[in-house]
Amino acid sequence: MLNKVPEVTVFFWIIKILCTTVGESFADYINETLGFGLTNTTVVFSVALMLALVAQFRLRRYVPGVYWLAVVLISVVGTLLTDNLTDGHDVPLWISTTVFAVLLAVVFGVWYARERTLSIHTIVTTPRESFYWLTVLVTFALGTAVGDWTLELTGWSAGVSVLLPLALILSVLVAWRLGAGPVLCFWLAYILTRPLGANIGDFLGSGRSDGGLGLGTLGTSVLFLGAILATVVYLSVTGKDRTEVVRPREPQDDVAAVQR
């Protein structure tokens, strides 16, 4: 099958940050504002994620709508994993951070030992795709724990809290430009976009008295979901983030298939 993930362009990072913001704000809206409860919210979004991943795994190539739907849902579920540990079981954030960091290292280790690569440009088999989505889930949970732990330690306001992950991402960009390994830089940036997006969500959704813009969790979720939808439609039409060009199927292909 063709590579199942998009090319890493500016559009990739834009949607990734939008998804992480939605993961934070939408989970809070369903859980707290609507009073659905942490457990019920986790069950609903976990089921939705499994259905999205079934659709994703059945495809033989990258399809923007299905892929980014899975990312949005996995961002919510990743957030809820950390929230369940912190709010549901009173697990300190430093423990959650440590556990998810070790788990991520294990997943990377097994993935590399089996496939000899961690590059997202080679997601062309089902095992590699399985490792990829498991890694994405753990990075969202880890990013949530790291971001919340940082806020707990620093006591920064919602606006100021955006600056630290942004500065770290820029540092990774500079390191990549100077010749650092692209695979390592990609995954570092991927992890750091989670606290960046979550802090942006907090900044937009928090009240003005708390240093935010006061959009609320619903307003922030609707705004960013709309932006994700518009960007995905654009990419679906233009194909700007496709890693491979699919050749149109010709009649002789069917003849050759029958002969084989």
Side-chain angles (χ1 to χ4, degrees), residues 14 17-26 28-29 151 157-163 195-228:
I14 289 174
I17 294 173
L18 292 173
C19 289
T20 60
T21 302
V22 168
E24 180 77 11
S25 59
F26 200 43
D28 289 344
Y29 175 72
L151 292 179
S157 65
V160 176
S161 65
V162 173
L163 300 179
L196 174 62
N199 292 346
I200 291 174
D202 287 339
F203 174 63
L204 295 175
S206 300
R208 296 184 182 276
S209 59
D210 297 322
L213 294 184
L215 294 181
T217 53
L218 177 59
T220 302
S221 298
V222 171
L223 176 64
F224 278 67
L225 283 172
I228 292 171

Side-chain angles (χ1 to χ4, degrees), residues 23-42:
E24 180 77 11
S25 59
F26 200 43
D28 289 344
Y29 175 72
I30 299 297
N31 174 31
E32 299 174 5
T33 306
L34 294 185
F36 208 58
L38 192 57
T39 301
N40 291 334
T41 303
T42 302

Side-chain angles (χ1 to χ4, degrees), residues 36-236:
F36 208 58
L38 192 57
T39 301
N40 291 334
T41 303
T42 302
V43 170
V44 169
F45 279 102
S46 295
V47 171
L49 173 60
M50 287 188 288
L51 294 176
L53 288 179
V54 168
Q56 168 68 20
F57 273 86
R58 289 176 64 87
L59 295 171
R60 309 303 295 172
R61 61 182 177 85
Y62 163 65
V63 177
V66 178
Y67 174 88
W68 287 110
L69 173 62
V71 175
V72 169
L73 291 172
I74 213 167
S75 72
V76 178
V77 173
T79 298
L80 290 169
L81 287 177
T82 299
D83 289 346
N84 271 281
L85 291 175
T86 304
D87 301 330
H89 300 282
D90 297 321
V91 176
L93 286 168
W94 72 268
I95 293 181
S96 299
T97 299
T98 303
V99 169
F100 286 127
V102 171
L103 180 58
L104 181 61
V106 170
V107 174
F108 275 141
V110 175
W111 182 358
Y112 187 80
R114 176 185 169 93
E115 304 294 335
R116 310 310 298 176
T117 179
L118 300 177
S119 173
I120 69 165
H121 294 104
T122 60
I123 309 301
V124 294
T125 66
T126 299
R128 291 185 181 184
E129 189 175 13
S130 301
F131 282 119
Y132 173 78
W133 286 111
L134 178 59
T135 301
V136 170
L137 176 61
V138 178
T139 60
F140 273 110
L142 174 60
T144 301
V146 170
D148 291 347
W149 187 29
T150 301
L151 292 179
E152 184 180 83
L153 291 174
T154 62
W156 288 339
S157 65
V160 176
S161 65
V162 173
L163 300 179
L164 178 58
L166 180 60
L168 292 175
I169 290 173
L170 292 177
S171 299
V172 172
L173 175 60
V174 171
W176 172 64
R177 288 291 189 182
L178 293 177
V183 175
L184 174 62
C185 290
F186 169 82
W187 285 114
L188 286 175
Y190 201 94
I191 294 170
L192 291 169
T193 53
R194 177 61 188 86
L196 174 62
N199 292 346
I200 291 174
D202 287 339
F203 174 63
L204 295 175
S206 300
R208 296 184 182 276
S209 59
D210 297 322
L213 294 184
L215 294 181
T217 53
L218 177 59
T220 302
S221 298
V222 171
L223 176 64
F224 278 67
L225 283 172
I228 292 171
L229 178 60
T231 309
V232 169
V233 170
Y234 172 75
L235 294 175
S236 299

